[in-house]
Amino acid sequence: MRDVGVVVDCTVLQINRPAGSLQFGTKFYSGKHHIYCVKAEVGVNPRTGTASTVSSIHTGSTHDFSIFKEHFPQFKAQLGGSKVLAVSAYIVARNDLDACITKPVGTPQLASRRVIVERYFGRLKTLFAVFRHNWPFQVEKIADYFIVTCALTNLHIIHNPLTGLDCEANQRFINELYIITTRKTEARRLFNDRYRAKLKNRLNPEATPTS
């Protein structure tokens, strides 16, 4: 795996529901995470632990692999003969992306490389809490802020190399996001159940129990 020049993965940045039409807002909704968000793909140098490439910001409904395909030519041009390790659930057409190594599930050699990008996200979100919670500003500003925070994270890593604690922090942030989305999903389900029950009572008043 010495020929791997960059390890890439996407991170989710949670936002409030954008103002506008339902159709516009749906673009930012992630069916996987059940939240409104945007995504950014970061390429991390496996030797230094710093980000070498950062993608533009994409809406939450965009699949990770679509983002990867869009930015792959940039990776390929920068790396020359080195390989790109895609660490998410990417299905890569090797005839189109012949310089890419995918991460088959259960492959220890590639899984160990994945850790570097997880550590990077852990460090970034530890340093900048604004990306651990709902983005409080205009969505249009998030791209510039994210680029700057990646640069500052790189500087911090140069003086304080990544460790296993960063990976643990990233997993903790993922778990926190899962808890938030689970609570929102449950609250939405309870609201819908109550609404349907009230609607049923209005349509069938005879069925309403009397005291």
Side-chain angles (χ1 to χ4, degrees), residues 130-149:
V130 69
F131 291 122
R132 298 203 303 266
H133 312 290
N134 270 17
W135 175 251
F137 310 114
Q138 293 178 328
V139 176
E140 293 78 10
K141 295 182 178 180
I142 198 169
D144 292 338
Y145 274 78
F146 190 71
I147 288 288
V148 171
T149 55

Side-chain angles (χ1 to χ4, degrees), residues 2-51:
R2 295 179 180 177
D3 56 348
V4 173
V6 66
V7 185
V8 301
D9 200 4
C10 286
T11 188
V12 171
L13 310 173
Q14 190 175 1
I15 62 172
N16 294 312
R17 185 189 183 282
S21 66
L22 178 63
Q23 183 179 6
F24 176 74
T26 301
K27 296 179 180 179
F28 292 86
Y29 188 78
S30 169
K32 175 182 177 181
H33 300 286
H34 305 290
I35 57 171
Y36 290 96
C37 64
V38 294
K39 296 179 179 179
E41 184 177 71
V42 177
V44 177
N45 186 312
R47 282 164 278 282
T48 64
T50 56

Side-chain angles (χ1 to χ4, degrees), residues 42-130:
V42 177
V44 177
N45 186 312
R47 282 164 278 282
T48 64
T50 56
S52 55
T53 58
V54 180
S55 76
S56 55
I57 295 297
H58 295 261
T59 57
S61 62
T62 308
H63 194 281
D64 291 2
F65 185 50
S66 298
I67 300 174
F68 176 73
K69 287 197 296 184
E70 178 180 333
H71 294 279
F72 181 76
Q74 175 187 355
F75 294 136
K76 193 171 181 178
Q78 289 182 350
L79 295 172
S82 298
K83 304 287 187 179
V84 178
L85 177 58
V87 300
S88 289
Y90 297 152
I91 302 173
V92 178
R94 289 186 178 277
N95 57 336
D96 295 328
L97 306 176
D98 56 353
C100 176
I101 303 175
T102 59
K103 186 192 77 64
V105 175
T107 305
Q109 297 89 343
L110 297 182
S112 64
R113 287 283 184 167
R114 176 194 180 112
V115 172
I116 194 70
V117 71
E118 293 176 345
R119 289 180 176 180
Y120 185 86
F121 291 146
R123 178 67 63 86
L124 184 147
K125 294 183 180 182
T126 297
L127 294 174
F128 302 98
V130 69

